Every structure is written in structure tokens, then in C-alpha cells.
Amino acid sequence: DTGVSQDPRHKITKRGQNVTFRCDPISEHNRLYWYRQTLGQGPEFLTYFQNEAQLEKSRLLSDRFSAERPKGSFSTLEIQRTEQGDSAMYLCASLRGEETQYFGPGTRLLVL
Amino acid sequence: GESVGLHLPTLSVQEGDNSIINCAYSNSASDYFIWYKQESGKGPQFIIDIRSNMDKRQGQRVTVLLNKTVKHLSLQIAATQPGDSAVYFCAEITGAGSYQLTFGKGTKLSVIP
């Protein structure tokens, strides 16, 4: 257990539905990252926050995706109008300063 | 384009033997590398890291070697155990200031009892 938690661990949804995932980072970590991982591939960067500010977004983050970190603590990732191609593991990581990123267990999304 | 990749997608070793997992990187500006272990259904777990001003770093049963001349990184696991069975990723820090990680595809290590 790295201290980073994610909820839910698994989500099955129908195409077109909206889903929201939550990440609780290690409490003193000011940076929070979202990654997406598809089967057989390494995680791919989506976006990151420093405190409550979203500072960078990947081209992978289409306009159906939105992420927030309203109080600089937990973060949410919402996917609107889900598509089958959104099926993946969504990983959250946190770090303090320039230290190592610690990953949560991930949320596995399946879009039917 | 700039990427981090792995030479071997799968590796099978006998329990007790040493394992070596290799990784090639192409971004000569990269200065920080990390090895992660990922078990089925779990998030990546930090194993060991190395900065570009070092050639070697040792941890508990693991050693990372960095050869900047040929842009090669390796992870050595001593006395491999069944619990070491997992997918191993090397990752490099990209994105100045953001510290975002760029991962390779991974190597699946299977330990034969």
C-alpha cells in the first residue's frame, strides 16, 4: 500500500454514460498525476496538478475528460459520454517536490 | 520520436537465478530513470531509481545500471523469487517542471519454481 487510494476499483458502464473516479493522494504531496493504461502497455500521462492548479494536459485528454482538484487534496476525473475506447485502467500518482511518484491501485473501467 | 522501450517483452527464469531486464531510451536529455514493478490488477510499484550522474545504484536484491553512452538501462534482480513475477517497466522523467513519466511497454517476468 503506497498511501494513494482510488475509488472505485472497478467500474462497468454502458456507452454514452458519464463516470467519475476519485483519487486521494498521500497527504503531504502537492503534485497529483492521472495516467491511463491499456492492456499490455505502459501508463500514459493524462494530466497533472500542483496543489489545486491543473498545469498540464496531454493530447490524450479529449474534451470529454475533465479533472479537478478543488482544495488541493483529492482529485476527480470525469469522463462524459463514454466510448468503448475509454476502457482502460486509470491510475493516479502523487509526489512531493522532485521525489518519486507513488501510484494508487487504479480504477479499471470497462465500457460496454 | 523520443521514447523509452524494452528489448525483451517476456522473460522466464528459474527460482534462485538472477534476472536481468533491459531498457533502451532515446532521449539523451533524460536525467532521471525509475524502475516500476506491476502485479496483475495493481498499480505500478516503485523499485529503484537512478539519476544520470550515476552509473549504478543498488537496493535490496536489485541493482540498476545506467550506460549513458549507449542509452541503456538495466534492472538486475538477485536470487529471483516467485513473488518477483510481474511486469517491469522502466520510465524516464520528461516534461521539464512537470516530472511526468514516460513508460515503455514493459517486460513480463515469470519465475519458474
Side-chain angles (χ1 to χ4, degrees):
Chain A
D1 183 5
T2 62
V4 180
S5 61
Q6 293 187 245
D7 183 73
R9 295 291 309 278
H10 303 274
K11 179 70 177 179
I12 300 174
T13 191
K14 293 182 180 179
R15 189 176 52 186
Q17 297 295 305
N18 299 342
V19 294
T20 300
F21 310 140
R22 176 178 170 129
C23 170
D24 286 89
I26 296 170
S27 60
E28 64 268 26
H29 285 189
N30 60 343
R31 292 186 180 222
L32 185 149
Y33 298 77
W34 286 99
Y35 292 83
R36 182 175 72 184
Q37 185 177 26
T38 53
L39 201 61
Q41 303 294 319
E44 296 173 290
F45 171 77
L46 291 178
T47 187
Y48 95 100
F49 293 82
Q50 180 159 322
N51 300 313
E52 66 276 6
Q54 187 174 16
L55 297 186
E56 190 167 335
K57 298 183 197 179
S58 161
R59 289 172 295 175
L60 295 174
L61 211 66
S62 76
D63 56 6
R64 296 185 297 106
F65 288 69
S66 61
E68 295 182 341
R69 195 184 183 196
K71 298 182 180 179
S73 55
F74 73 91
S75 176
T76 58
L77 177 68
E78 181 183 17
I79 309 174
Q80 296 182 325
R81 305 181 303 280
T82 52
E83 302 173 356
Q84 288 184 326
D86 296 331
S87 297
M89 172 85 91
Y90 290 85
L91 292 160
C92 173
S94 71
L95 83 110
R96 177 182 59 190
E98 299 180 19
E99 298 176 0
T100 303
Q101 291 185 31
Y102 291 93
F103 283 83
T107 295
R108 184 170 293 281
L109 172 67
L110 177 62
V111 182
L112 301 176
Chain B
E2 303 289 1
S3 66
V4 174
L6 295 172
H7 292 305
L8 297 173
T10 60
L11 178 65
S12 295
V13 298
Q14 288 289 141
E15 181 178 357
D17 287 352
N18 297 334
S19 302
I20 299 176
I21 300 171
N22 296 302
C23 175
Y25 66 94
S26 57
N27 187 347
S28 57
S30 296
D31 62 0
Y32 183 45
F33 303 89
I34 307 171
W35 281 100
Y36 283 93
K37 171 187 179 183
Q38 188 173 27
E39 297 174 280
S40 182
K42 297 184 179 180
Q45 175 188 354
F46 170 84
I47 301 173
I48 193 168
D49 59 0
I50 189 167
R51 294 197 179 273
S52 60
N53 60 354
M54 302 172 70
D55 297 323
K56 179 180 180 179
R57 192 166 187 211
Q58 289 184 292
Q60 187 177 12
R61 284 200 307 119
V62 294
T63 301
V64 55
L65 299 177
L66 176 62
N67 185 331
K68 294 180 287 293
T69 301
V70 295
K71 299 178 191 171
H72 184 266
L73 197 67
S74 68
L75 176 70
Q76 300 178 1
I77 304 174
T80 313
Q81 302 170 359
D84 295 327
S85 294
V87 178
Y88 289 81
F89 294 96
C90 65
E92 64 178 321
I93 292 289
T94 58
S98 72
Y99 301 105
Q100 64 176 267
L101 293 166
T102 297
F103 285 83
K105 282 190 175 181
T107 292
K108 182 176 181 180
L109 176 65
S110 296
V111 181
I112 304 165

